[in-house]
Amino acid sequence: MKTINETFEDKEFTLMKKMKKKLSWHDFIILLTQHAQESIKRGDFKIL
C-alpha cells in the first residue's frame, strides 16, 4: 500500500478541518484532489 504525503500550512489545515464538517465525503475528496494538484506544482507532494 502506498501513502500520500501532502503538506498543509497551519492556515490551510485549519480551513480543511472546518470545511470537512460542512461538506459531504465526495465534495471533501474533490477538494483534496484540487489541493493535491496545487501541491504537485509547489513540489511538496510525495507518494511513498
Side-chain angles (χ1 to χ4, degrees), residues 15-34:
L15 180 62
M16 287 287 192
K17 280 181 22 181
K18 287 180 185 177
M19 293 180 90
K20 183 180 176 188
K21 294 177 184 176
K22 297 177 183 177
L23 297 174
S24 68
W25 274 106
H26 176 266
D27 292 342
F28 186 69
I29 296 299
I30 297 298
L31 179 65
L32 285 178
T33 303
Q34 179 64 34

Side-chain angles (χ1 to χ4, degrees), residues 7-20:
T7 305
F8 291 93
E9 295 176 4
D10 290 338
K11 185 177 178 183
E12 289 176 323
F13 184 72
T14 303
L15 180 62
M16 287 287 192
K17 280 181 22 181
K18 287 180 185 177
M19 293 180 90
K20 183 180 176 188

